[in-house]
């Protein structure tokens, strides 16, 4: 009983039902009338939805056909779920839709509402991974479309729910602020997902977040659509579970419908959409469906379902149900149904034959092209654009109180002032996270922002990093500028899929048509005296570094932080880049460099219009010819500058020090220049030995220099950071830098 045969069986069931129809035919029904007593779906519209169901089904057959010829690469289908066409019909085409992989009929139906989209051809282009695929350009088979307001989603089930909730929450905040948005004020967000996915902590968390916000009085216009086929690959969902879990939740309107009945789903979806749109309340639409033809073409269902069970499911095929309805109510004759079905088959087959002739991606350059867009001039211009002087004056409390007119201050203060300027410069910027509002953040970096800009723009979220990042992604989909804060680096790891899987991949899977530019502020790195333990001193950046396309910034001093932030925001704004912004906690309050009270780590606030160029390191040269170059970042910069002084004073060794500032991409030109300037490079990396930055720096130098310099590294141990004072044994120190530098110069 092969999978291909099951498709033939299901196809045959349909054609037989129609061709062998023997019951008497009723008189033709007026298609202008509703198909249900008192309902809102006319016969005409019902037939269109039926056509979308059929088209989606034939796409699933064609996917298998293409796969069998080794021309197609994707066979996860929508067979049995086609009633989701009625959900699309109940929505507007500019209600942003975050769809899972069984929303084929939804996709087709929305295309009916958007001129100029041939959705089936687009889907087929995706299946054959053609570079002509208008959404991903051959990078994945996804339901996505810019004109249809369907951002592409990844295969990671449930990972799109936080952004749907986030977009709904952001929409309401932006509306309240009167901001211009790319969707109407009364738009709602919709997300579709399966019954097994509804158990994922990310889904449960997203629903929880929506309800938490609703409970505290926020509007959250999000429609959760659970397409419940009772199984997740091979694992049955216990009967009644989805309703038990979501049917009776405070604040969650719940509507159920039988996915075999197109008209019923339309009525239920129309009610659900109207409720969500008018009340701005989260709504859960629970559609019972069946899953036919296995999880995917490669799934051999007989391994976990008996033939009788498979046939029983197939007998519940919603297309059979729709055909029966059409014929038995007089909406369509058997031959009209058959003509629709067969003409659609022919059209899809013809499209299938055509798409295989279309081009595919042929080089790594083409593949990566949308990953990390960078427009240097525009970014530089945006970074150096400053808010109007009078606005700044008014906000800071008079010209004399402008930050650039104040005495030099430490990093936390300058960051705080830069965030003030950011919220001034970008009315569409929102700053949010745990404890950032009234408290002003754990380290007071966001002090005063809540008082100045109000609760709509600076607000506390609930304690869930996945939701914080989901909110950022959703907000950015609406062209807002999110500044989420993650309280400590250790807790970024808790939610990193929202960046790794979702935010960072959006431009890749949409050829840059959708973007979610943001600056994620993360309090990070070690060396905190007196407040110890791994979770507040996490120094592991490997999981950030291997995310394609993200920018990683790590300022070590106040003036750089201000100038870099201006550029980071410009990258998010101009090129839609995701910037991971690491703030070295231990340097927040650091004032001195070499001696007590020398004020060596205090900085003047850079004038408006001054920015640190993207990807450019800062070099501290030394007097005379240097013996070595120290390359570092973050706390390592402060330590290395101190070590450099000791080296010169006590050992007669002269060192240049480079603060990379941008950890991704690396400033390879400066690395090369430093290597060539001294012929000796000591890398001081407070990250771990394995997966830290030192590996990348070594590699970059070796690749860039025809004659590589002598190199050594002083790095963090491969460990978690311990409590108490034992961390000192695990991270580079002034003394260890001196020692390694001496060895490098001597050896
Ligand atoms: C986070 C994650 N874990 C595992 C998978 C592999 N996977 C893909 S679909 C699926 C089952 C989903 O079942 P359900 O949510 O009921 O949707 P259905 O396929 O039945 O429509 C699994 C386990 C995945 N894509 N993402
Ligand atoms: Mg399922």
């Amino acid at each position: 009983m092969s999978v291909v045969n099951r498709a033939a069986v299901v196809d045959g069931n349909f054609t037989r039902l129609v061709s062998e129809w023997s019951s008497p035919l009723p008189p033709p029904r007026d298609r202008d009338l509703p198909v249900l007593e008192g309902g809102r779906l006319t016969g005409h519209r019902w037939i269109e939805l039926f056509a979308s169901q059929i088209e989606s089904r034939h796409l699933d057959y064609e996917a298998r056909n293409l796969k069998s010829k080794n021309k197609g690469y994707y066979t996860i289908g929508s067979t049995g779920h086609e009633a989701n066409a009625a959900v699309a019909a109940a929505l507007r085409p500019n209600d942003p839709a975050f769809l899972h992989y069984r929303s084929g009929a939804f996709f087709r139906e929305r295309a009916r509402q958007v001129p100029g989209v041939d959705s089936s051809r687009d889907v087929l282009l995706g299946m054959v991974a053609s570079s002509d695929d208008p959404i991903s350009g051959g990078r994945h088979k996804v339901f996505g479309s810019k004109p249809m307001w369907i951002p592409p989603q990844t295969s990671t089930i449930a990972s799109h729910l936080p952004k749907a909730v986030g977009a709904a929450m952001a929409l309401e905040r932006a509306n309240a602020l009167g901001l211009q948005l790319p969707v109407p004020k009364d738009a709602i967000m919709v997300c579709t997902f399966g019954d097994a996915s509804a158990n994922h902590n990310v889904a449960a968390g997203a629903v929880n977040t929506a309800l938490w916000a609703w409970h505290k009085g926020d509007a959250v216009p999000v429609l959760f659509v659970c397409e419940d086929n009772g199984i997740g690959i091979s694992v049955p969902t216990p009967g009644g579970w989805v309703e038990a879990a979501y049917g009776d939740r405070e604040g969650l309107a719940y509507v159920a419908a039988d996915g075999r009945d197109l008209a019923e789903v339309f009525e239920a979806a129309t009610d659900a959409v109207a409720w969500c749109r008018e009340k701005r309340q989260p709504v859960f639409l629970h559609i019972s469906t069946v899953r036919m033809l296995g999880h995917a073409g490669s799934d051999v269902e007989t391994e976990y379902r008996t033939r009788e069970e498979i046939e029983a499911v197939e007998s519940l095929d919603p297309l059979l149900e729709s055909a029966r309805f059409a014929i038995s109510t007089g909406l369509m004759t058997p031959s009209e149904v058959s003509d629709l079905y067969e003409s659609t088959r022919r059209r899809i087959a013809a499209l299938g034959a055509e798409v295989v002739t279309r081009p595919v991606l042929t080089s790594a350059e083409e593949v990566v092209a949308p990953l990390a867009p960078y427009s240097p001039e525009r970014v530089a211009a945006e970074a150096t654009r400053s808010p109007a002087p009078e606005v700044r004056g008014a906000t800071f409390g008079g010209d004399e109180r402008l930050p650039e007119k104040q005495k030099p201050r430490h990093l936390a203060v300058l960051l705080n002032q830069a965030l003030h300027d950011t919220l001034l410069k970008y009315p569409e910027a929102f700053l949010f996270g745990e404890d950032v509002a009234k408290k002003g953040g754990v380290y007071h970096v966001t002090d005063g922002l809540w008082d100045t800009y109000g609760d709509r723009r600076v607000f506390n979220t609930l304690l869930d990093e996945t939701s914080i990042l989901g909110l950022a992604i959703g907000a950015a989909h609406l062209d807002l500028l999110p500044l989420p804060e993650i309280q400590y680096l250790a807790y970024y790891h808790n939610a990193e899929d929202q960046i790794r899987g979702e935010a960072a991949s959006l431009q890749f899977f949409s050829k840059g048509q959708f973007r979610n530019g943001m600056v994620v502020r993360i309090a990070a790195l070690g060396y905190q005296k007196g407040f110890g333990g791994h979770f507040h001193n996490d120094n592991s950046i490997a999981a950030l570094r291997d995310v394609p396309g993200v920018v990683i910034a790590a300022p070590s001093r106040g003036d750089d932080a201000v100038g870099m932030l201006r550029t980071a925001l410009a990258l998010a704004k101009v090129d839609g880049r995701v910037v991971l912004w690491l703030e070295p906690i231990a340097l927040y309050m650091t004032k001195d460099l070499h001696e007590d009270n020398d004020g060596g780590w205090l900085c003047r606030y850079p004038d408006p219009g001054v920015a640190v160029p993207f990807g450019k390191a800062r070099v501290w040269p030394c007097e005379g010819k240097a013996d070595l170059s120290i390359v570092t970042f973050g706390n390592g910069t402060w330590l290395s500058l101190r070590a450099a002084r000791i080296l010169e004073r006590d050992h007669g060794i002269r060192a240049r020090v480079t603060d990379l500032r941008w950890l991704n991409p690396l400033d390879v030109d400066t690395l090369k220049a430093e290597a060539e300037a001294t012929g000796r490079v000591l890398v001081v990396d407070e990250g771990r030995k394995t997966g830290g930055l030192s590996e990348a720096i070594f590699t970059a130098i070796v690749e860039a220099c025809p004659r590589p310099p002598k190199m050594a590294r002083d790095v963090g141990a491969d460990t978690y950071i311990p409590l108490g004072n034992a961390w000192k044994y695990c991270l580079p120190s002034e003394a260890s830098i001196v020692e390694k530098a001496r060895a490098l110069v001597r050896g």
Side-chain angles (χ1 to χ4, degrees):
M1 196 161 68
S2 79
V3 174
V4 174
N5 282 348
R6 288 329 295 175
V9 168
V10 171
D11 189 17
N13 289 346
F14 187 90
T15 51
R16 217 170 26 259
L17 172 85
V18 179
S19 66
E20 294 177 3
W21 189 272
S22 58
S23 313
L25 296 179
R29 188 182 168 84
D30 183 347
R31 292 178 179 174
D32 288 333
L33 293 177
V35 295
L36 297 181
E37 269 301 307
R40 291 156 290 194
L41 183 64
T42 64
H44 281 296
R45 210 52 195 104
W46 187 96
I47 291 170
E48 284 181 339
L49 299 189
F50 184 31
S52 292
Q53 291 192 297
I54 289 173
E55 198 158 328
S56 173
R57 179 64 58 89
H58 280 301
L59 281 173
D60 288 353
Y61 294 155
E62 186 58 22
R64 283 166 162 70
N65 177 40
L66 290 166
K67 179 84 175 75
S68 70
K69 294 178 176 158
N70 275 334
K71 297 270 171 64
Y73 306 94
Y74 193 90
T75 53
I76 299 181
S78 306
T79 296
H81 285 241
E82 289 92 346
N84 55 35
V87 180
L91 289 158
R92 296 178 192 153
N94 50 12
D95 288 325
F98 302 81
L99 302 180
H100 77 156
Y101 47 81
R102 298 212 195 281
S103 297
F106 181 113
F107 192 71
R108 170 65 191 95
E109 184 54 35
R110 178 163 280 195
R112 199 181 297 289
Q113 304 161 42
V114 180
V117 178
D118 183 348
S119 63
S120 290
R121 183 165 183 273
D122 295 350
V123 169
L124 288 163
L125 285 165
M127 285 175 187
V128 299
S130 168
S131 48
D132 278 359
D133 164 18
I135 187 64
S136 82
R139 291 172 187 81
H140 201 15
K141 151 67 182 72
V142 285
F143 290 124
S145 160
K146 181 72 177 165
M148 291 204 283
W149 251 112
I150 302 179
Q153 300 312 316
T154 66
S155 294
T156 312
I157 55 92
S159 58
H160 54 306
L161 271 62
K163 64 181 100 166
V165 171
M169 292 165 68
L171 172 73
E172 293 304 302
R173 283 181 184 274
N175 279 341
L177 290 161
L179 296 176
Q180 281 283 320
L181 288 175
V183 295
K185 283 187 167 40
D186 64 346
I188 66 172
M189 308 298 151
V190 59
C191 53
T192 59
F193 53 94
D195 47 294
S197 305
N199 297 306
H200 201 282
N201 76 69
V202 173
V207 174
N208 181 70
T209 298
L211 298 185
W212 177 90
W214 175 257
H215 183 84
K216 80 179 177 73
D218 292 352
V220 192
V222 61
L223 176 65
F224 298 104
V225 181
C226 180
E227 299 184 19
D228 179 1
N229 56 25
I231 197 163
I233 304 190
S234 69
V235 182
T237 293
W241 169 245
V242 173
E243 183 171 3
Y246 292 105
D248 187 17
R249 297 279 296 273
E250 190 209 304
L252 186 62
Y254 174 84
V255 183
D258 178 356
R260 288 166 59 218
D261 185 336
L262 196 49
E264 181 185 318
V265 175
F266 178 82
E267 296 298 338
T270 303
D271 287 342
V273 167
W275 188 276
C276 186
R277 198 180 305 286
E278 280 154 31
K279 311 262 187 224
R280 319 303 287 162
Q281 182 182 353
V283 177
F284 194 97
L285 175 60
H286 181 190
I287 305 176
S288 2
T289 64
V290 284
R291 191 201 70 193
M292 296 153 59
L293 310 185
H295 176 71
S298 53
D299 173 32
V300 182
E301 263 192 305
T302 46
E303 288 170 358
Y304 55 89
R305 270 177 165 171
T306 65
R307 186 191 185 102
E308 289 69 34
E309 285 168 337
I310 292 169
E311 287 174 351
V313 168
E314 288 169 357
S315 73
L316 301 174
D317 183 350
L319 256 66
L320 295 178
E321 211 50 51
S322 289
R324 279 193 205 104
F325 183 84
I327 300 169
S328 65
T329 59
L331 262 182
M332 298 173 84
T333 62
S335 63
E336 283 172 328
V337 171
S338 173
D339 285 352
L340 177 61
Y341 191 76
E342 295 306 327
S343 63
T344 307
R345 184 202 300 282
R346 284 192 299 275
R347 198 165 73 75
I348 298 297
L351 285 174
E354 190 252 333
V355 295
V356 297
T357 67
R358 303 310 304 160
V360 292
L361 295 166
T362 54
S363 69
E365 288 75 29
E366 260 187 283
V367 171
V368 304
L371 252 180
Y374 178 40
S375 321
E377 287 86 23
R378 287 179 58 217
V379 167
E382 177 60 23
T384 50
R385 182 175 70 80
S386 51
E390 45 306 346
V391 181
R392 291 186 76 234
T395 306
F396 284 104
D399 272 7
E400 282 321 299
R401 302 186 63 176
L402 287 170
E404 60 272 25
K405 302 216 168 128
Q406 308 309 309
K407 64 182 195 310
R409 302 297 303 273
H410 50 275
L411 174 64
V413 169
L414 264 62
L415 270 171
N416 176 262
Q417 291 166 333
L419 290 171
H420 267 285
D421 257 337
T422 300
L423 288 161
L424 266 185
K425 178 171 170 179
Y426 297 104
E428 71 277 28
F430 290 80
L431 188 149
F432 49 90
E434 293 149 20
D435 306 299
V436 299
K438 208 168 179 179
K439 178 173 168 62
V442 173
Y443 297 99
H444 304 293
V445 174
T446 58
D447 256 357
L449 299 173
W450 177 82
D451 312 80
T452 309
Y453 300 96
D455 200 45
R456 288 195 176 117
R457 298 187 64 200
V458 179
F459 52 95
N460 292 327
T461 61
L462 78 178
L463 206 173
D464 177 29
E465 286 72 19
T466 299
S467 291
I468 293 170
L469 295 174
L471 172 56
I473 297 173
H477 274 72
L478 301 180
D479 296 343
L480 303 170
L481 180 56
L483 299 169
E485 175 179 309
I486 299 292
Q487 210 161 66
Y488 290 97
L489 180 55
Y491 311 129
Y492 165 81
H493 296 299
N494 177 278
E496 65 192 27
D497 178 60
Q498 286 295 307
I499 297 298
R500 167 187 300 274
E502 302 300 311
S505 71
L506 183 65
Q507 300 203 65
F508 183 75
F509 289 128
S510 70
K511 283 198 306 181
Q513 297 169 87
F514 288 97
R515 24 186 277 170
N516 43 202
M518 64 178 77
V519 178
V520 185
R521 293 181 42 251
I522 311 174
L525 305 173
Y527 294 98
Q528 284 188 78
K529 299 174 189 81
F531 191 52
H534 175 73
F535 303 96
H536 306 108
N537 287 274
D538 191 345
N539 62 335
S540 170
I541 56 165
L544 283 60
R545 282 193 46 237
D546 85 334
V547 181
V550 293
V551 173
I552 307 175
S556 67
R557 31 183 288 143
D559 52 358
D560 281 351
V562 177
M564 288 170 72
L565 186 63
R566 290 173 182 161
T567 297
L569 293 159
L571 287 163
K573 227 22 230 173
V574 172
D575 285 319
R577 299 292 291 273
V578 175
V579 182
L580 299 177
W581 173 267
L582 305 178
E583 295 176 4
I585 302 167
L587 295 175
Y588 272 151
M589 307 295 289
T590 301
K591 299 181 177 66
D592 304 325
L593 178 56
H594 299 298
E595 327 279 352
D596 284 354
N597 299 322
D598 71 0
W601 216 239
L602 300 175
C603 300
R604 249 194 84 242
Y605 190 83
D607 288 335
V610 174
V612 171
F614 177 42
K616 194 87 194 82
R618 176 198 271 248
V619 180
W620 277 268
C622 57
E623 304 239 327
K625 170 129 183 57
D627 300 299
L628 84 158
S629 301
I630 301 178
V631 173
T632 185
F633 67 95
N635 294 286
T637 304
W638 186 81
L639 290 171
S640 298
L641 288 169
R642 287 167 64 95
R645 199 165 90 135
I646 295 167
L647 281 166
E648 175 147 32
R649 188 188 64 202
D650 297 351
H651 307 284
I653 293 174
R654 284 187 290 222
R656 296 162 63 87
V657 176
T658 296
D659 178 0
L660 285 163
R661 304 194 289 199
W662 305 93
L663 310 191
N664 192 46
L666 284 175
D667 182 352
V668 178
D669 290 343
T670 296
L671 288 176
K672 182 169 189 275
E674 283 304 305
E676 287 170 351
T678 63
R680 294 188 191 96
V681 176
L682 172 64
V683 175
V684 176
D685 175 9
E686 62 189 288
R688 291 190 192 148
K689 183 173 184 187
T690 305
L693 203 64
S694 66
E695 293 171 349
I697 298 169
F698 267 51
T699 307
I701 291 175
V702 168
E703 285 178 350
C705 300
R707 252 182 281 133
K710 281 172 66 181
M711 289 190 279
R713 57 180 176 158
D714 189 5
V715 295
D718 282 333
T719 178
Y720 300 98
I721 303 296
L723 197 67
N725 289 324
W727 61 266
K728 292 183 177 166
Y729 308 113
C730 306
L731 297 177
S733 65
E734 204 174 291
S736 68
I737 297 168
V738 168
E739 195 182 307
K740 299 244 173 182
R742 289 179 66 203
L744 185 65
V745 172
R746 268 203 238 105

